[in-house]
Amino acid sequence: MPAYLSKALVAALLAFAMVFGWSMLTSRTAESATPRHTVTYSVQPGDTLWGYAERVTPAGGDVRQTVDEIVELNGLQSTSLVPGQSIVVPIAR
């Protein structure tokens, strides 16, 4: 492969990586700039993450999205909850 083609390929790949990286950065920045209203909830015996998310999800909302938000807000490694555990949960405003 001629040297000028190698340089052109490297330049094209670098440009693509920069554009892709920039788009990923700006989408996260816009998402994280949206304020979330939250409260802290103390897990009760018998609570499940899905069950609690069902109770706090607004009518017509997606419970899966609420579960994902709770997991993200709390840095949970699993969906298991322990009685007495405090979790931050999103609330509708």
Side-chain angles (χ1 to χ4, degrees):
M1 178 181 281
Y4 69 90
L5 284 179
S6 295
K7 289 180 182 179
L9 180 61
V10 168
L13 289 173
L14 183 58
F16 174 77
M18 290 174 61
V19 169
F20 181 74
W22 179 257
S23 68
M24 294 299 293
L25 178 64
T26 56
S27 67
R28 286 188 188 162
T29 303
E31 187 178 328
S32 64
T34 305
R36 290 185 182 163
H37 300 284
T38 60
V39 295
T40 301
Y41 175 74
S42 181
V43 176
Q44 303 300 306
D47 279 345
T48 64
L49 186 56
W50 184 267
Y52 185 75
E54 280 183 312
R55 293 196 310 257
V56 300
T57 300
D62 186 352
V63 176
R64 294 171 298 184
Q65 185 177 14
T66 303
V67 169
D68 290 344
E69 283 185 275
I70 294 170
V71 168
E72 179 186 336
L73 284 168
N74 293 280
L76 299 177
Q77 300 299 315
S78 78
T79 57
S80 298
L81 299 177
V82 178
Q85 178 182 5
S86 292
I87 57 172
V88 176
V89 294
I91 58 170
R93 282 249 173 172

